């Protein structure tokens, strides 16, 4: 048994069950005092999956918030947001369906049949726009989402995938 | 009994190699398991560098994004934990140099860490910790800064990863795996000498 901090044999000994138990205790202590945020792992995975797309990030052009369907039991808000990239402009209107769900209506320009994905840290919802560039995601969880937009194949090869910044509906 | 440490080629390094190869080939979710495994370690590295919780989140995220961008050049899979620790430290320094904060990063942890405050009965009760964690905290506080960094970070990884992480953090390697090293030995002796810990 080691008795002094300078004990070289103790420091040179391999890690054993006592060390493992001590480290596990330190881990529990740290987790109690300063826990890593619960959603950090999901957030990182989300960011990685989007980074892998190698997409152009559209920039936010305009954002407005309007009361919609006021007069019902709960006044609900719809929010209209416009994003722009070098190749495409997308306007989305987000409406609250209830406390947990949203509906997203979108319009893409130039018009055409795009593949559209709404991604949240836990889910993804796919749809396609019609020839006029309109699309709808009927129901998605409230919270954070990003749109991934894949344009139709062009005459000069594939136009870049476009991704919007995060939209937070709180 | 000693901890069984898998051989470098067949153990964790193989897992890292597979995940990195998948990521290189653009396989979706290739890094998901590693993210779950090592984010707590990166979180602790950032927090030990004195960043607040929001900054620490940024460091964890940007470290993983940096890995994805560097995945072509990372040719030694066994070195992954070390690469992650080094990158997170660098990211933390970068943020710390940019932001000069006036308030400490995490009052609870930092005030306790300053040694002014011990873990008193209130903290133990509020956080639902066993009373002997006050002894553990006393022991951890007696370690040098360097040893506290090492113990805090090594404690976040699962046992099979001690080997790589310990090496990445400069713990000596013995003939059959990582040695306990000066820091863990010191912690062990401080705890052994504390009747409240053993009682």
């Amino acid at each position: 048994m080691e008795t002094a901090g300078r004990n070289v044999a103790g420091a040179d000994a391999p890690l054993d069950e006592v060390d493992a138990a001590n480290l596990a205790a330190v881990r529990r202590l740290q987790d109690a005092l300063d826990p890593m945020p619960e959603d950090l792992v999901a957030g990182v995975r989300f960011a990685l999956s989007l980074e892998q797309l190698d997409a152009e990030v559209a920039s936010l052009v305009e954002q407005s918030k309007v009361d919609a369907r006021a007069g019902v039991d709960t006044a609900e808000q719809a929010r209209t947001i416009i994003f722009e990239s070098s190749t495409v402009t997308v306007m989305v209107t987000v409406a609250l369906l209830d406390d947990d769900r949203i509906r997203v209506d979108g319009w893409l320009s130039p018009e055409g049949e795009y593949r559209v994905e709404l991604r949240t840290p836990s889910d993804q919802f796919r749809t396609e726009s019609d020839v006029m560039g309109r699309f709808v995601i009927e129901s998605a969880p409230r919270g954070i989402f990003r749109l991934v937009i894949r344009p139709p194949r062009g005459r000069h090869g594939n136009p870049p995938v476009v991704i919007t910044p995060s939209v937070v509906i709180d | 009994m000693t901890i069984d440490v898998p051989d470098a080629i067949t153990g964790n390094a193989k897992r890292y190699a597979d995940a990195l190869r998948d990521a290189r080939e653009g396989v979706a979710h290739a890094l998901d398991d590693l993210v779950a495994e090592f984010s707590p370690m990166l979180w602790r590295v950032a927090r030990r560098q004195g960043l607040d919780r929001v900054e620490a989140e940024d460091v964890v995220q940007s470290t993983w994004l940096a890995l994805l961008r560097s995945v072509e050049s990372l040719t030694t899979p066994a070195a992954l934990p070390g690469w992650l620790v080094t990158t997170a430290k660098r990211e933390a320094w970068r943020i710390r140099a940019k932001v000069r904060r006036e308030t400490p990063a995490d009052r609870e942890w930092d005030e306790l860490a300053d040694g002014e405050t011990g873990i008193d009965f209130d903290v133990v009760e509020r956080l639902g910790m066993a009373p002997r964690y006050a002894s553990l905290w006393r022991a951890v506080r007696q370690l040098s800064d360097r040893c506290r960094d090492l113990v805090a970070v090594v404690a976040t990884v699962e046992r099979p990863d001690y080997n790589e992480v310990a090496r990445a953090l400069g713990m000596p390697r013995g003939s059959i795996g990582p040695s306990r090293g000066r820091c863990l030995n010191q912690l062990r002796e401080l705890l052994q000498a504390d009747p409240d810990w053993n009682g």
Side-chain angles (χ1 to χ4, degrees):
Chain A
M1 197 84 351
E2 307 79 36
T3 49
R6 289 181 300 277
N7 190 323
V8 176
D12 280 345
L15 283 169
D16 66 11
E17 293 300 322
V18 175
D19 299 303
N22 289 345
L23 284 171
V26 169
R27 187 213 292 237
R28 282 196 296 275
L29 180 69
Q30 295 181 149
D31 285 349
L33 287 173
D34 181 35
M36 184 176 80
E38 265 176 37
D39 53 1
L40 182 55
V41 165
V44 168
R45 288 172 171 172
F46 188 41
L48 286 176
S49 69
L50 297 171
E51 179 78 10
Q52 268 188 321
L53 288 173
D54 194 25
E56 182 189 355
V57 180
S59 49
L60 177 71
V61 182
E62 202 181 311
Q63 177 158 211
S64 65
K65 216 172 178 182
V66 290
D67 279 324
R69 287 171 49 191
V72 206
D73 285 353
T74 50
E76 293 177 10
Q77 288 197 316
R79 177 180 305 185
T80 297
I81 313 160
I82 302 173
F83 299 104
E84 202 172 67
S85 77
S86 62
T87 52
V88 64
T89 300
V90 56
M91 183 174 89
V92 291
T93 300
V94 184
L96 280 180
L97 294 175
D98 54 39
D99 284 349
D100 308 314
R101 313 292 297 178
I102 55 168
R103 173 191 162 105
V104 178
D105 287 271
W107 178 63
L108 287 152
S109 172
E111 59 194 30
E113 293 167 88
Y114 297 75
R115 281 186 293 151
V116 178
E117 277 171 40
L118 182 148
R119 294 205 189 180
T120 75
S122 52
D123 280 305
Q124 38 184 299
F125 304 85
R126 292 201 176 87
T127 188
E128 279 182 15
S129 59
D130 62 21
V131 287
M132 302 299 288
R134 291 177 188 282
F135 66 91
V136 57
I137 308 279
E138 302 271 2
S139 175
R142 187 176 182 168
I144 191 168
F145 73 82
R146 297 178 77 167
L147 292 176
V148 178
I149 297 151
R150 293 186 169 82
R153 189 179 291 271
R155 270 175 301 175
H156 312 290
N158 283 334
V161 175
V162 173
I163 182 165
T164 68
S166 295
V167 177
V168 183
I169 304 297
D170 42 30
Chain B
M1 190 192 156
T2 57
I3 292 166
D4 184 34
V5 180
D7 176 64
I9 305 302
T10 57
N12 291 314
K14 170 89 164 60
R15 281 195 304 120
Y16 307 153
D18 290 347
L20 292 170
R21 188 201 53 234
D22 285 351
R24 261 194 294 277
E25 290 171 2
V27 175
H29 308 296
L31 299 175
D32 279 8
D33 288 347
L34 294 180
V35 169
E37 189 175 333
F38 285 114
S39 288
M41 175 183 83
L42 299 176
W43 170 260
R44 196 56 55 199
V45 169
R47 296 287 287 140
R48 287 294 301 163
Q49 296 295 319
L51 299 190
D52 71 20
R53 292 178 60 87
V54 174
E55 291 162 354
E57 285 198 64
D58 287 346
V59 165
V60 174
Q61 175 148 329
S62 55
T63 301
W64 288 111
L65 289 171
L67 175 65
L68 192 60
R69 290 183 204 114
S70 312
V71 82
E72 297 290 343
S73 58
L74 212 127
T75 50
T76 316
L80 177 67
W83 189 95
L84 290 170
V85 169
T86 308
T87 306
K89 268 191 187 166
R90 230 179 262 144
E91 282 289 312
W93 293 337
R94 198 176 54 78
I95 289 182
R96 219 173 34 178
K98 219 165 50 178
V99 190
R100 283 271 143 254
R101 254 191 337 276
E102 280 158 29
T103 51
D106 178 314
R107 291 183 166 280
E108 184 107 79
W109 186 248
D110 292 349
E111 279 172 15
L112 287 164
D114 287 344
E116 295 287 312
T117 324
I119 290 189
D120 60 21
F121 225 69
D122 280 356
V123 175
V124 168
E125 199 149 315
R126 185 158 44 80
L127 295 174
M129 297 186 301
R132 67 204 288 263
Y133 279 82
S135 319
L136 178 62
W137 188 237
R138 266 199 304 278
V140 167
R141 267 166 49 199
Q142 289 178 60
L143 299 174
S144 67
D145 274 355
R146 194 196 154 268
C147 278
R148 277 193 56 189
D149 283 346
L150 191 145
V151 168
V153 174
V154 163
T156 62
V157 295
E158 295 290 343
R159 262 194 219 194
D161 288 307
Y162 283 156
N163 202 8
E164 281 84 2
V165 173
R167 192 163 31 189
L169 291 168
M171 274 169 77
R173 189 180 149 78
S175 51
I176 51 165
S179 301
R180 187 173 301 148
R182 188 169 53 85
C183 300
L184 276 180
N185 196 48
Q186 221 173 355
L187 177 65
R188 184 186 176 107
E189 287 173 354
L190 286 164
L191 288 173
Q192 271 170 357
D194 186 340
D196 290 342
W197 177 257
N198 297 301

